[in-house]
């Protein structure tokens, strides 16, 4: 889902809001998450997941075209860890789509 699709879906579910207000809300949420991560803070959305920043140490990489060794500097990268509610929901939907039933019934004997 793209940002514009998210805005369109939120606007459709909230007809009492103007589209420009929904755009501003989504942009503000994304900006605040970005600012928090830039300051090294962690952002947790209960039931959805947590955004954090991880530091990658410097290393020696390889140029894929030439095979030449290249020094890669240390850097900070965003990291997302799903929340338990989201992970459970995704796994239930995946099991249902595969026709396996609920993952909670795995290993149970059918009578």
């Amino acid at each position: 889902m793209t940002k514009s699709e998210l805005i369109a879906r939120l606007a459709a579910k909230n007809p009492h809001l103007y589209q420009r207000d929904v755009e501003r809300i989504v942009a503000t949420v994304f900006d605040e998450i970005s600012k928090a991560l830039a300051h090294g803070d962690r952002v947790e959305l209960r039931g959805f997941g947590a955004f954090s920043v991880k530091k990658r140490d410097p290393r020696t990489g390889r140029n894929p075209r030439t095979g030449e060794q290249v020094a890669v500097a240390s850097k900070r990268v965003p990291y997302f860890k799903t929340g338990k509610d989201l992970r459970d929901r995704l796994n239930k939907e995946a099991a249902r789509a595969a026709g396996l039933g609920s993952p909670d019934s795995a290993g149970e004997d059918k009578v």
Side-chain angles (χ1 to χ4, degrees):
M1 174 183 291
T2 64
K3 185 177 174 181
S4 58
E5 291 171 340
L6 174 64
I7 291 168
R9 197 175 285 186
L10 288 172
K13 288 187 176 192
N14 297 283
H16 60 283
L17 295 175
Y18 293 112
Q19 173 116 5
R20 66 177 181 268
D21 292 337
V22 175
E23 289 174 9
R24 194 174 307 132
I25 291 166
V26 170
T28 301
V29 170
F30 288 167
D31 288 344
E32 289 301 316
I33 291 172
S34 298
K35 285 178 189 176
L37 292 176
H39 286 101
D41 297 333
R42 182 174 184 264
V43 178
E44 182 177 335
L45 304 171
R46 294 285 170 146
F48 182 71
F51 297 91
S52 60
V53 176
K54 290 199 173 197
K55 182 179 184 257
R56 289 198 182 155
D57 294 328
R59 62 185 176 84
T60 302
R62 292 199 180 273
N63 180 333
R65 183 173 291 179
T66 64
E68 174 185 347
Q69 289 189 347
V70 179
V72 179
S74 67
K75 55 185 153 186
R76 297 174 10 176
V77 294
Y79 177 76
F80 177 74
K81 182 177 180 184
T82 58
K84 184 179 184 319
D85 292 343
L86 177 60
R87 194 170 37 251
D88 290 346
R89 186 174 176 183
L90 290 173
N91 288 328
K92 285 179 185 175
E93 289 179 13
R96 199 175 307 131
L100 301 175
S102 70
D104 298 328
S105 65
E108 293 180 4
D109 292 333
K110 294 184 180 180
V111 180

